[in-house]
């Protein structure tokens, strides 16, 4: 027990000495608030997240990204869909973006996968939250399904000047098909 009290006293003395030295040298220690220590993350989702449509009908939905204070300069979307229910699936910029470059635009209709990447100039990043691109598709006339989904695959990414902005949540879309 005496050894414990001795060690406890020594620890208290060391802490007191360090505090006194900091006060005497007028050293300002940085204060880290929870907001500063929170890593920048983003969410991505469809607007709207649920639609009701008829077989044979064309439809368009926005893809929204919210990345807090870092506005992406590059967006890579990897989506999966059921090719027996949907056709003519494509992604395009919401509005013409004169200085944006489409780096990737592939649609594998056989397997139901679309890959799309767009690079925004550093002086024209995506505002957050914003809907920079839209997904267009057509529900097949002869589909037997009453419901299908489109969802983001793990390769979906957002970058700010080459730095990854982790996507915390990527919400898919439910499509209810009326016969």
């Amino acid at each position: 027990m005496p050894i414990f009290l001795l060690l406890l006293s020594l620890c208290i003395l060391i802490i007191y000495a360090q505090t006194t030295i900091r006060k005497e040298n007028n050293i300002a220690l940085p204060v880290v608030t929870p907001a500063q220590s929170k890593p920048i993350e983003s969410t991505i989702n469809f607007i709207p997240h649920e639609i009701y449509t008829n077989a044979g009908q064309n439809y368009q939905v926005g893809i929204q990204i919210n990345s807090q204070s870092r506005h992406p300069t590059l967006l890579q979307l990897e989506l999966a869909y059921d090719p027996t229910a949907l056709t003519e699936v494509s992604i395009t910029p919401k509005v013409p973006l004169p200085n944006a470059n489409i780096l990737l635009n592939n649609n594998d209709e056989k397997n139901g996968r679309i890959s799309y990447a767009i690079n925004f100039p550093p002086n024209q990043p995506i505002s957050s939250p914003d809907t920079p691109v839209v997904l267009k598709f057509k529900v097949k006339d002869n589909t037997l399904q009453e419901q299908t989904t489109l969802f983001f695959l793990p390769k979906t990414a957002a970058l700010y000047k080459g730095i990854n902005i982790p996507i915390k949540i990527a919400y898919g879309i439910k499509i209810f098909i009326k016969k």
Side-chain angles (χ1 to χ4, degrees):
M1 187 71 158
I3 293 175
F4 173 73
L5 291 175
L6 180 65
L7 288 175
L8 181 62
S9 299
L10 186 60
C11 288
I12 291 171
L13 182 63
I14 290 171
I15 292 170
Y16 176 76
Q18 287 179 344
T19 305
T20 305
I21 290 169
R22 284 187 190 136
K23 284 181 183 175
E24 287 174 4
N25 292 334
N26 217 6
I27 298 172
L29 298 176
V31 177
V32 178
T33 63
Q36 291 173 324
S37 63
K38 183 179 178 184
I40 295 192
E41 299 173 330
S42 57
T43 59
I44 192 163
N45 58 290
F46 291 98
I47 301 292
H49 65 279
E50 192 174 273
I51 61 171
Y52 296 83
T53 186
N54 295 319
Q57 186 173 353
N58 291 318
Y59 211 87
Q60 177 176 310
V61 294
I63 297 176
Q64 182 183 58
I65 183 150
N66 187 347
S67 57
Q68 300 170 354
S69 61
R70 293 279 168 105
H71 307 305
T73 52
L74 185 130
L75 185 60
Q76 178 176 335
L77 303 171
E78 299 286 336
L79 297 166
Y81 63 93
D82 184 350
T84 64
L86 303 177
T87 188
E88 301 175 24
V89 179
S90 66
I91 298 175
T92 59
K94 181 179 177 182
V95 295
L97 301 168
N99 297 324
N101 295 320
I102 297 172
L103 306 173
L104 179 64
N105 192 2
N106 296 330
N107 184 6
D108 180 353
E109 288 190 10
K110 181 180 177 190
N111 295 310
R113 181 179 173 141
I114 189 163
S115 302
Y116 182 87
I118 187 167
N119 188 26
F120 302 94
N123 61 342
Q124 292 179 332
I126 303 169
S127 297
S128 201
D130 196 5
T131 309
V133 293
V134 292
L135 175 81
K136 298 176 182 179
F137 61 89
K138 180 179 181 178
V139 178
K140 287 188 172 181
D141 285 321
N142 59 352
T143 186
L144 300 175
Q145 297 184 34
E146 294 180 358
Q147 179 180 336
T148 190
T149 58
L150 280 125
F151 57 92
F152 295 98
L153 295 169
K155 278 188 157 183
T156 295
L159 284 87
Y160 172 74
K161 295 183 180 180
I163 300 168
N164 185 38
I165 304 170
I167 295 177
K168 181 179 178 183
I169 301 172
Y171 296 103
I173 184 172
K174 290 183 184 177
I175 302 168
F176 297 95
I177 304 165
K178 301 174 198 170
K179 301 287 179 177

